Amino acid sequence: MNRFNVRKVAVLGAGVMGAQIAAHLVNVKVPVILFDLPAREGPKNGIVTRAVENLKKLKPSPLGVARDADLIGQANYEDHMEQLRDCDLIIEAIAERMDWKLDLYRKIAPFVAEHAIVASNTSGLSITKLSEALPEAIKPRFCGIHFFNPPRYMTLVELIATPTTQPHILDDLETFVTTGLGKGVVRAKDTPNFVANRIGIAGMLSTMKEVENFGLTFDVVDDLTGKRLGRASSGTFRTADVVGLDTMAHVIKTLQDNLSEATDPFYGSFGTPPVLKALLEAGHLGQKTKAGFYKKVGRDVMRFEQDSGEYVPAGQKADEVYGRMLKKPAAERLRLLRNAEGAQGQFLWAILRNSFHYAAVHLATIAETARDVDQAMRWGFGMKQGPFELWQEAGWLEVAKMVQEDIDAGRALCKAPLPEWVFKGPVAEAGGVHTPQGSWNPAKGVFEPYRVLPVHARQHFPERLLGEGGLDYRTAGTTIEENDSLRVWTLDEQVLIASIKTKMHAISPEVCEGLMAAVDLAEQRYQGLVIWSGDEPFSAGADLQAMLPAFMAVGVSAIEEAEGFMQQMMLRLRYANVPVVSAIRGLALGGGCELAVHSARRVAHMESYIGLVEVGVGLVPGAGGLTYIARRAAENAEASTGKDLLPFLTEGFTAAAMAKVGTSALESRQLGYLLPSDVVVPHKDELLFVAINEARALFASGWRAPHKRLFPVAGRDGRATIMGQLVNMRDGGFISQHDFHIASLIAKVVTGGDVDPGTLVSEEYLMTLERQAFCALIVHPKTQERILGMLNTGKPVRN
């Protein structure tokens, strides 16, 4: 089978999107060259160089590791066009000007390799019109590829074909974007703003219009339209600030320029909102100019007030009665909102009604199926549910009747009726657009099955929409053992899977017991054990709440016993006679980090956040985390020519003492929580597939548990050096006295206590020191303040 082998990518345009696309390609180890115009002054690559340097400063970081920016190749259109011949994929990402893009295509055409795919990253320009500037030989290999900002973090990538694009080109590109870049692909029709921006921007315009109608403030609206509504926590107006008000205005203009009353019955709602116009005229473009709908003054957040044109204090919240309504089941929720007497409830119903109306009217023209719309809104706009999903959950025909009644009464944005397929035929009979047989395709009048490519076989449990059916990881496969805390099961009868079921996948004594039993089972009958819990997080750490009753009843001895049992479990994993693979997604903190580092191998999703964070609750890592740091330092020192242990210990000590968390799998590797031999997986839904295959490969290669070895520690000399640095930090006011006390105990454990430098110790010896430090702290009043603060507020207490 031939495969599209992407050995190198060229990104044309070093603006915000182009540079960040290049950064993400580096994150996933794809060689990339970033092009732009030659600079008028200084080095010719100056424009690209500045863009690359800026990547290191951006927050949230587009790079897994900031120094990897140096891996981005730099080029300009005057001197380096020959380098395009070596590229298998060329992504054009220059400014949204049709004439500029067409001119660039003419310039690059002679240098494009015969097999290379050329794709335009545009948020809404016609892909078919863009293709007209290309030679006939390139047209079949040209398409649209629309990344969402920021490319590292946003799941959605829209692919758009032209009439001349060969079908296998989109298949090849979808395969690469899915498994290579870790994205969710939606194939959009070549219509203005494609799918997500067409629905999303229409929704934002609708929201702004209804805000005017109901006289609400921006902060109240953001409170209503954020997490409470199952959408991005930034709500409507903070999201607009992050995206950029100029970018939003451009996307609105694309709708205005390419649609009309004849082609879109909602066209009358596409005018640039007066408040947006006022902010743009004032140069307030959102986050990039530090002022938009909101701006920060010192520590205070201010919101723009259109009537006065001034910024006033923000922070108003929605009426809690509507917060309670939004927690109700979907059908009851929509009925309550529609019948609400207050402005906030009427506003919420209006924007939901408008979203249902718009999506239904335009489905046939912008997307193949309703699935494409709902996935685009999930992945591109951070919605928990797309419009069709929510509509279907609330009762298809009941909601349809409410929407149509509002249309007939003139309360909707336009008079266009809901399409006939909403009320009659297969959709009405099925109770919605998503069914196990497929998702509704109005052009064909059928429920169309999900498009299947070979790459999709790597996703055992892909993200599904409400009503689609499919396997549920909580019940799939063959269950071997299960209780309230852990499910032990298998998909293939070869590798055992352990899935933690506790809240936040916290590690309780019952979880420890279950994992030890799972190792026993795996050693008897299977090739390996994979620890994978289906969704995020991997594990937020030890279950402190589960320990508290025993502590209150028995005292610190109960804690020591629980910690000792957890340490035994960690060593059982490490020395198992089958490979144990931790499949990490999301947070792996505290005990979750310790669980991972004691596994034979780690397979981590790119967006994994790993670290020992016990200091935040006034404790030290107590389940082998500090022992791991000391052992790894000894192993790294042995592999080097240096004899001094301390340089190899310093980074691990600092990470634990400062509760440092890797903000990507790549940074976690730098911190030592992932090793060079561990695997980083770009796509979250491929994690289990890779982990199972990793376990099989380790078993097939003759896996044996590592030998138990004694290893040297830094001893009292190393501890004295660390303590000197801690004293300086305390006396300089950088850490509190309690922080100093905790860090001192960490230093004692990782250096082996009061022993000579180079003394050989066992893991059990260091774990005893860990337990002693943990138990000494848990009875400390200041640690108890931190624990109670975290349990009550979810935020660390500094004392």
Side-chain angles (χ1 to χ4, degrees):
M1 181 183 74
N2 291 331
R3 73 182 183 96
F4 179 50
N5 185 12
V6 181
R7 293 160 297 187
K8 187 181 289 186
V9 176
V11 177
L12 312 182
V16 173
M17 282 301 290
Q20 292 200 47
I21 291 168
H24 188 60
L25 287 162
V26 165
N27 289 337
V28 295
K29 296 185 177 180
V30 177
V32 59
I33 309 169
L34 183 60
F35 280 79
D36 211 302
L37 295 165
R40 293 179 180 176
E41 297 179 0
K44 280 193 175 180
N45 286 343
I47 294 173
V48 175
T49 301
R50 285 190 293 275
V52 170
E53 286 302 308
N54 189 51
L55 289 171
K56 301 175 184 178
K57 305 170 189 173
L58 290 177
K59 298 294 178 186
S61 176
L63 294 152
V65 177
R67 70 181 187 192
D68 283 353
D70 299 333
L71 299 175
I72 298 173
Q74 301 184 18
N76 66 77
Y77 302 130
E78 191 171 292
D79 298 334
H80 304 115
M81 296 292 266
E82 286 289 336
Q83 293 187 36
L84 290 175
R85 299 188 192 277
D86 299 327
C87 297
D88 306 294
L89 172 62
I90 299 171
I91 300 173
E92 170 271 305
I94 68 171
E96 295 282 279
R97 282 273 301 267
M98 179 74 73
D99 54 339
W100 291 358
K101 289 177 184 283
L102 295 178
D103 183 57
L104 181 59
Y105 293 171
R106 294 184 189 99
K107 288 178 181 175
I108 67 168
F111 304 96
V112 175
E114 292 181 359
H115 69 285
I117 294 175
V118 180
S120 174
N121 180 68
T122 173
S123 60
L125 296 180
S126 169
I127 304 301
T128 302
K129 287 183 179 177
L130 288 172
S131 72
E132 292 170 1
L134 291 166
E136 292 301 318
I138 296 178
K139 283 182 180 179
R141 294 178 277 122
F142 177 77
C143 63
I145 182 170
H146 181 208
F147 288 85
F148 274 64
N149 190 25
R152 171 185 163 186
Y153 300 97
M154 297 301 291
T155 301
L156 180 61
V157 170
E158 292 174 318
L159 297 183
I160 310 98
T162 75
T164 56
T165 305
Q166 291 180 351
H168 79 86
I169 293 297
L170 255 61
D171 290 348
D172 287 346
L173 198 51
E174 179 169 345
T175 297
F176 170 67
V177 168
T178 300
T179 201
L181 304 186
K183 300 302 177 187
V185 171
V186 164
R187 296 195 186 183
K189 293 184 179 181
D190 190 10
T191 55
N193 291 348
F194 312 128
V195 177
N197 273 343
R198 181 71 176 272
I199 299 289
I201 295 300
M204 293 183 88
L205 287 170
S206 157
T207 299
M208 291 183 185
K209 197 173 186 70
E210 300 297 356
V211 166
E212 288 181 36
N213 291 343
F214 292 102
L216 302 180
T217 61
F218 303 139
D219 43 5
V220 167
V221 170
D222 279 350
D223 190 36
L224 287 169
T225 61
K227 283 189 175 180
R228 292 175 187 265
L229 202 60
R231 299 182 178 181
S233 58
S234 50
T236 300
F237 295 101
R238 281 189 180 86
T239 298
D241 276 353
V242 171
V243 170
L245 304 191
D246 53 340
T247 301
M248 185 178 172
H250 171 79
V251 178
I252 292 170
K253 191 171 188 305
T254 301
L255 292 176
Q256 294 168 346
D257 291 347
N258 293 282
L259 295 171
S260 65
E261 294 282 2
T263 57
D264 191 324
F266 294 82
Y267 187 77
S269 301
F270 292 161
T272 304
V275 64
L276 181 59
K277 192 176 294 184
L279 287 167
L280 291 170
E281 287 172 356
H284 299 328
L285 307 183
Q287 190 169 277
K288 68 182 80 173
T289 60
K290 304 188 186 309
F293 288 104
Y294 299 94
K295 78 171 180 178
K296 215 170 179 186
V297 179
R299 294 188 176 183
D300 298 325
V301 176
M302 314 290 281
R303 64 171 166 81
F304 185 70
E305 191 175 64
Q306 188 176 356
D307 290 344
S308 65
E310 302 292 333
Y311 284 90
V312 299
Q316 288 186 359
K317 298 292 183 182
D319 189 326
E320 196 48 44
V321 68
Y322 301 108
R324 292 194 292 271
M325 283 185 189
L326 290 172
K327 292 178 181 177
K328 300 286 186 183
E332 185 181 356
R333 184 191 326 155
L334 294 192
R335 281 198 302 273
L336 286 170
L337 292 175
R338 188 177 188 237
N339 297 323
E341 294 182 1
Q344 294 177 25
Q346 293 172 21
F347 161 78
L348 283 169
W349 163 250
I351 64 171
L352 291 171
R353 174 201 65 215
N354 295 344
S355 70
F356 301 149
H357 188 192
Y358 193 86
V361 167
H362 288 295
L363 174 59
T365 56
I366 67 173
E368 296 293 338
T369 69
R371 179 193 304 110
D372 295 327
V373 169
D374 281 346
Q375 285 184 329
M377 298 315 293
R378 277 191 181 197
W379 295 339
F381 277 78
M383 291 186 177
K384 188 177 178 181
Q385 291 180 305
F388 290 119
E389 279 187 284
L390 174 56
W391 183 349
Q392 184 165 330
E393 184 185 8
W396 185 264
L397 286 176
E398 291 80 1
V399 173
K401 288 172 185 173
M402 290 193 292
V403 172
Q404 189 59 53
E405 284 174 7
D406 276 15
I407 296 169
D408 295 340
R411 290 189 288 268
L413 291 177
C414 74
K415 297 179 180 179
L418 291 174
E420 187 176 350
W421 57 260
V422 169
F423 295 101
K424 297 179 182 178
V427 171
E429 292 165 10
V433 291
H434 304 308
T435 70
Q437 293 73 43
S439 190
W440 182 247
N441 183 326
K444 295 179 181 177
V446 297
F447 292 111
E448 191 165 297
Y450 189 79
R451 180 179 61 259
V452 176
L453 297 175
V455 69
H456 297 147
R458 296 169 59 90
Q459 300 178 21
H460 289 307
F461 302 99
E463 191 174 320
R464 295 291 188 188
L465 302 175
L466 179 81
E468 281 192 317
L471 293 176
D472 185 334
Y473 68 84
R474 290 165 290 198
T475 56
T478 303
T479 299
I480 309 301
E481 291 184 0
E482 185 170 14
N483 56 35
D484 290 342
S485 299
L486 192 77
R487 180 182 181 225
V488 180
W489 56 292
T490 182
L491 271 176
D492 58 5
E493 305 298 331
Q494 295 179 330
V495 174
L496 206 57
I497 304 167
S499 297
I500 303 172
K501 296 166 57 180
T502 53
K503 185 178 180 181
M504 297 292 284
H505 302 143
I507 303 170
S508 64
E510 292 74 23
V511 169
C512 292
E513 190 175 337
L515 287 172
M516 291 175 81
V519 173
D520 291 341
L521 270 171
E523 288 179 335
Q524 294 167 20
R525 294 159 43 190
Y526 297 90
Q527 296 180 9
L529 172 66
V530 169
I531 302 173
W532 176 84
S533 299
D535 54 9
E536 296 186 26
F538 173 72
S539 173
D543 191 345
L544 285 175
Q545 284 182 303
M547 294 183 186
L548 286 178
F551 174 53
M552 299 299 290
V554 181
V556 75
S557 61
I559 297 295
E560 185 169 12
E561 184 180 343
E563 283 297 300
F565 187 50
M566 193 178 296
Q567 291 174 343
Q568 290 175 37
M569 184 269 290
M570 298 298 178
L571 292 176
R572 185 74 180 94
L573 297 181
R574 173 163 164 74
Y575 294 108
N577 283 323
V578 288
V580 177
V581 177
S582 282
I584 305 165
R585 174 182 164 197
L587 302 176
L589 303 179
C593 176
E594 290 167 317
L595 187 64
V597 299
H598 282 87
S599 301
R601 190 64 51 89
R602 287 139 296 276
V603 174
H605 178 234
M606 175 70 71
E607 297 307 320
S608 295
Y609 306 91
I610 307 174
L612 298 169
V613 296
E614 287 84 353
V615 170
V617 288
L619 294 169
V620 299
L626 300 182
T627 300
Y628 168 79
I629 287 170
R631 175 173 59 78
R632 283 296 300 162
E635 291 168 349
N636 289 334
E638 185 181 22
S640 78
T641 55
K643 298 299 180 185
D644 185 4
L645 264 174
L646 198 58
F648 298 96
L649 187 61
T650 301
E651 188 167 8
F653 163 79
T654 303
M658 302 298 289
K660 191 169 184 182
V661 175
T663 56
S664 68
L666 303 180
E667 189 177 3
S668 296
R669 181 177 274 155
Q670 282 194 318
L671 293 175
Y673 298 132
L674 296 179
L675 303 182
S677 56
D678 293 331
V679 181
V680 176
V681 179
H683 201 295
K684 62 181 177 60
D685 293 335
E686 295 185 359
L687 194 62
L688 181 60
F689 172 87
V690 176
I692 289 173
N693 279 281
E694 195 70 15
R696 285 178 184 157
L698 289 170
F699 180 85
S701 63
W703 168 260
R704 300 294 297 179
H707 285 293
K708 280 198 173 188
R709 295 179 182 272
L710 301 180
F711 51 89
V713 289
R716 61 179 70 89
D717 290 358
R719 183 182 175 193
T721 302
I722 294 173
M723 290 302 296
Q725 296 169 347
L726 291 175
V727 167
N728 289 337
M729 292 181 70
R730 181 197 61 193
D731 294 349
F734 297 104
I735 58 175
S736 70
Q737 177 60 38
H738 195 48
D739 290 329
F740 173 81
H741 178 53
I742 298 167
S744 301
L745 292 175
I746 293 174
K748 178 181 177 181
V749 177
V750 298
T751 58
D754 190 18
V755 297
D756 293 332
T759 298
L760 298 178
V761 301
S762 67
E763 288 167 293
E764 289 83 355
Y765 167 80
L766 289 181
M767 284 183 170
T768 299
L769 295 182
E770 277 189 40
R771 282 200 312 279
Q772 292 171 352
F774 190 95
C775 292
L777 283 168
I778 205 160
V779 296
H780 197 294
K782 287 193 176 292
T783 284
Q784 291 178 359
E785 284 178 22
R786 291 191 182 188
I787 292 173
L788 290 173
M790 179 63 76
L791 292 176
N792 290 331
T793 67
K795 297 178 181 179
V797 173
R798 307 311 305 168
N799 57 4

